Amino acid sequence: MKILLKNVLMISAYNAEPVKGNVIVENGKIAGINTCDCMEEGQFDEIEDLSGLLVIPGAMNTHTHVAMTLFRGFYDGLEMKRWLDSILRAETRLYDEAVYYASLVGTAEMVRHGCTAFVDMYFFEDAVARAVRDIGIRAYLTRGIVDVDGGLDKRIRENIDIFEQWHGYDGRIWVGFGPHAPYTCSMRCLEKVARIREELNTFVTIHLYETADERCKYRMEDLEKTGILENAILVHCVHPPENFTEVVGKHRILVSLNPASNMKLGNGIPPFMEYLEKGIPLSVGTDGAASNNSLNVWKELYLCALIAGDRVNPSELFAMLWEMPGKFFGKLGRLQEGYEADLVVINPEVPECVPLGSLRNNLVYSGIPGEVVYVMVKGEWIYREGHFTKIDMKGVLEEFEKHVERLRMH
Ligand code: NI
């Protein structure tokens, strides 16, 4: 399958200016981009004339609990401890189909905001995987693992089962491991997860230093010894100890900044300029819809832009959305030959994006990616002009509300 997107305006990478040209997609990958006027059109199976529209790489949301759309708006205005207690109680009532429909709603929200890949940590992750398969987005899924009630081995087993069933599915679904945090997982548990991660050659994701009191609960040296810091997405990192950057700098990691969630739960602001200066790879995540409440990752970028003020430029911000998470996961985040064809077509001629002469800045500082018209993942259109190509969103929303009602009633 060879597709030509012609007459587009494109921002091909985090540091690229918008240029006019063509994007060629073949077998799920970008086969090339060029600026020439006359393409030999006979060689293509599909030709889209996208005059006036802008093509950009798909954004990556590197931390969420996507099915928490079920609890959006339930517990707003609570501080961290009371919020978490309420959520944990509600989560004991969860079941498979509720997670499936909630994941369709959450992924749909991300796609509508120009996001083509996300990292998830939750329960019933098999239902999340089915939702991902059905809507067509790219996903990095983990089963949340805690070590508090003797159920550790069962949870690790479930995570391995999901790995065996879904890892590599259609080249779009990848499964790692999700130890929740060092205060809910013992060092022995982290060691065990790290060993399995290495055997299966995949990734882990873990919440780290989300609250100030976590500094007294565990040390970077001990975490490092468990092996959990290798191939790891470290989430939040709002209250790092002094040796944080020195230790993580020795490992293959990606930090996921979730400023909206941190501010909403009263946990402060991640000191990420220090990370940026030390060359720590950064990305943005929304966290779940119960603590944000939006799954639009562009808003997180906007918050990072505000937090950093004049100490950051649009290229550094776009790198957090595309380049750095893209590199962590492989060849993602650029419109460049050999990269995955995960891209977003937007109408830039909306009030938030003009004047077009400062388009890059307008995108970063508006908190939305213009008006999303089409979304492609792995060479396949999954969203076109307000409609999802693979699912009936109206039916999904109806089912979703039924499950929300059922969860509220019990
Ligand atoms: Ni989280």
Side-chain angles (χ1 to χ4, degrees), residues 110-159:
M110 289 192 257
V111 170
R112 280 162 52 85
H113 290 106
C115 176
T116 53
F118 72 104
V119 179
D120 198 61
M121 177 203 285
Y122 214 48
F123 333 106
F124 299 101
E125 206 63 26
D126 177 67
V128 182
R130 285 191 285 119
V132 167
R133 174 196 64 196
D134 292 350
I135 200 166
I137 196 171
R138 184 183 299 274
Y140 299 85
L141 308 178
T142 68
R143 199 263 189 240
I145 294 168
V146 290
D147 180 19
V148 288
D149 56 4
L152 175 63
D153 288 340
K154 182 179 152 276
R155 294 190 184 99
I156 291 180
R157 186 65 244 172
E158 278 178 29
N159 204 146

Side-chain angles (χ1 to χ4, degrees), residues 4 13 26 30 50 58 61 83 129 137 150 187 218 234 238 244 254 278 281 339 347 365 369 375 393 400:
L4 170 65
E26 191 169 12
I30 307 284
L50 302 179
N61 180 357
W83 176 85
I137 196 171
M187 290 295 157
Y218 52 90
L234 310 177
V238 183
F244 179 80
L254 178 70
K278 298 255 167 77
Y339 277 64
N347 176 11
Y365 288 102
V375 176
M393 207 54 217
F400 169 77

Side-chain angles (χ1 to χ4, degrees), residues 25 45 80 92 121 143 146 174 199 202-203 220 253-254 301 310 327 345 382 387 390 407 410:
V25 172
D45 303 298
M80 176 78 183
T92 60
M121 177 203 285
R143 199 263 189 240
V146 290
W174 305 94
E199 275 165 28
T202 184
F203 66 95
M220 286 305 289
I253 60 109
L254 178 70
L301 200 70
D310 62 355
K327 208 177 250 177
V345 182
I382 65 166
H387 298 283
K390 297 155 77 85
L407 281 168
H410 287 89

Side-chain angles (χ1 to χ4, degrees), residues 63 65 207 235-236 258 287-288:
H63 180 67
H65 314 279
H207 299 97
V235 183
H236 297 308
N258 296 208
D287 216 348

